[in-house]
Amino acid sequence: MSSREPKKNFIREIIDEDIRRGKHGGRVHTRFPPEPNGFLHIGHAKSICLNFGLAADYGGLCNLRFDDTNPETEEIAYVESIKEDVCWLGFEWEDREYYASDYFEKLYEFAVDLIKKGKAYVCDLSAEEVSVQRGTLTEPGKDSPYRNRSVEENLDLFRRMKEGEFPDGSKTLRAKIDMSHPNLLMRDPVLYRIRRERHYRRGDAWCIYPTYDWAHGQSDSIEGITHSICTLEFEVHRPLYDWFLDALGIHHPQQIEFARLSLSNTVLSKRKLLELVREGYVSGWDDPRMPTISGLRRRGYTPEAIRNFCDIIGVAKANSIVDMALLEDCLREDLNKRAPRVMAVLRPLKVMVINYPEHKVEELEAINNPEDPGMGTRKVPFSRVLYIERDDFMEEPPKKFYRLAPGREIRLRYAYFITCREVIKDPATGEITELRCTYDPATRGGDAPDGRRVKATLHWVSAAHAIDAEVRLYDTLFTKRDAGEVEEGADWKANLNPKSLEILRGSKVEPSLADATPGSRFQFERLGYFCVDSRDSKPGKPVFNRTVTLHDPWAKLVRSGRHNQ
Ligand code: ATP
Ligand code: MG
């Protein structure tokens, strides 16, 4: 999908070697297996780019598989959002949209086969008893008293489990492996539980549900997957993955683990993100502060920026936290090329140009994108009453403040030089309410014919022509860099940033933005990149999300690897 030369990594080395040896007939077939129990986040984007990217680079295929074997938390709305997000990121699964829940019959047959081979048994221990008898890392487990049931008895009981003869939790089907295996997952793991729970796709057809370990590898096998790529926490599950496939003697994909993405100052766990949504800490899964794909999209991120980020971070075998600054810098690089420049004043201060004729309006030419002359120019109206940014004026400027101050001359971008002559204040509060300035008609377009220089160029809008806008400024959702790594049980929400959202209701934007389409992105000159909110924006009453600020020298350092984590 891109012309880039793929970066070498250990997964590619494994695949190259498999192809060289003719394993799986040289095929490459991957899958992205989300569970539809939440919206996708930037960590999933890493997995999507990796799985679909490898398939594309090796001329193979990648399936979209919903790993939907847990009826309690799964919903069709999540399926829809996942499809939308994968599509938006730029990947296609064609007709290969699969559901593990469609394999329930097949998985049941596999289990019957395992029983017939004497490698699985029905166990009457409760969940608590199973967990106690499993033993510990230093102590072996105990064999279940039901471990030596005959094949016939197991077949009969397992069928009756499926037919709903036994109450929830009263029996499980377990693999017969080794209760003193050093890997606890190999100590007769549970394959099926009895759970009378309605499944969002299968309804009440089933009352026994397979565990992740039992469903995942067999689903990979059914689909003819060659390389089953997952995150590091599944490394300890690999012996079990292999054991099931070997015991069944069916197509055997190779599981390969890579480090999951962690991002600074946010959390990447569906469970935690769901909690933020449910408890109202954010406005929804697509809140622009969320690290979800839908949140990033609403914030103004482009799929190109996210894909480029995933390329740059690459894949590794060791977990680490990637700095948010890197993601933001990938976005700046993309938006710098494509976002039209416009003028907007976030916190307006009125400027009266006292020597400019009262009813005169001039249409001045402004460049849409200095990075891309092909994007052309537009006209911006100039008149006697203007707004500039409140921050761009100081009555008593300190040494390094070069912007507007009493008696000082500056340039208004694409317009004129103006000089501040008088500061008007509210007599009651002392607040500055207006600046009286003069302009030099000879400087039209922003250059002085006598070569005289000014130290600042400010953005502005014409008061009579400007559109009122709401602007939402965002900061990171969490104050703590490693907010996602908080210990289990600790209060991870204590690190939420109380200042992650600031709403400005009195902003003024240039008239060309009156009917900007929802989702479109702009650079507000000198301020950053902004995107028209796709939910709350109305024609003539736009709402803008600040996507990212303009420059962040720290991001450059992160990118060049010269920072110290
Ligand atoms: P979460 O930890 O957010 O609950 P999950 O692993 O339970 O995520 P799944 O829907 O099972 O979510 O994930 C689908 C795929 O995405 C899996 O292959 C998983 O390994 C991968 N994935 C999930 N989180 C990350 C991450 N942070 N970085 C890379 N890959 C991830
Ligand atoms: Mg999972």
Side-chain angles (χ1 to χ4, degrees), residues 57 62 97 155 207 318 334 390:
D57 290 342
C62 179
E97 176 177 325
L155 286 173
C207 68
D334 190 34
R390 224 158 236 286

Side-chain angles (χ1 to χ4, degrees), residues 31-48 50-51 65 67 82 212 216 229-234 258-263 268-273:
R31 83 287 173 266
F32 171 63
E35 180 177 359
N37 62 351
F39 280 55
L40 298 182
H41 53 61
I42 182 82
H44 294 112
K46 176 176 178 177
S47 176
I48 293 167
L50 181 60
N51 280 295
R65 181 198 317 143
D67 204 345
I82 289 169
Y212 170 87
H216 200 85
I229 300 166
C230 60
T231 42
L232 277 186
E233 63 273 23
F234 290 100
F258 71 100
R260 66 192 292 114
L261 171 67
S262 300
L263 202 56
L268 295 184
S269 140
K270 280 188 285 194
R271 185 179 55 77
K272 288 180 179 168
L273 294 173

Side-chain angles (χ1 to χ4, degrees), residues 224-255:
I225 300 303
T226 56
H227 300 85
S228 176
I229 300 166
C230 60
T231 42
L232 277 186
E233 63 273 23
F234 290 100
E235 195 163 14
V236 287
H237 294 247
R238 187 172 0 117
L240 189 52
Y241 184 99
D242 291 337
W243 189 92
F244 286 143
L245 294 168
D246 288 341
L248 293 167
I250 56 178
H251 167 72
H252 195 147
Q254 178 173 0
Q255 177 178 307

Side-chain angles (χ1 to χ4, degrees), residues 25 64 86 123 150 195 207 282 300 311 319 358 362 383 425 427 482 502 508 526 529 552 558:
L64 175 62
V86 176
C123 178
S150 69
R195 237 147 105 196
C207 68
V282 293
D311 253 14
N319 285 317
E358 201 163 339
E362 282 179 277
S383 64
K425 294 180 185 173
D482 55 353
E502 183 184 358
K508 304 278 183 181
R526 299 178 61 232
Y529 294 97
D552 181 356
V558 169

Side-chain angles (χ1 to χ4, degrees), residues 267 271-272 275-276 279 281 478-480 482-497:
V267 296
R271 185 179 55 77
K272 288 180 179 168
E275 208 168 311
L276 294 179
E279 295 175 8
Y281 290 99
F478 289 83
T479 49
K480 203 169 184 292
D482 55 353
E485 320 293 307
V486 176
E487 277 169 49
E488 205 50 47
D491 183 13
W492 57 277
K493 282 179 287 187
N495 302 315
L496 274 164
N497 179 3

Side-chain angles (χ1 to χ4, degrees), residues 68-88:
D68 55 353
T69 56
N70 181 5
E72 274 143 50
T73 53
E74 295 162 1
E75 285 176 29
I76 193 75
Y78 294 135
V79 169
E80 297 304 330
S81 78
I82 289 169
K83 291 205 283 190
E84 183 184 355
D85 290 349
V86 176
C87 223
W88 179 77

Side-chain angles (χ1 to χ4, degrees), residues 455-473:
K455 284 206 168 139
T457 300
L458 307 185
H459 61 275
W460 54 274
V461 293
S462 163
H465 304 88
I467 314 277
D468 291 322
E470 177 176 320
V471 176
R472 299 172 182 172
L473 305 178

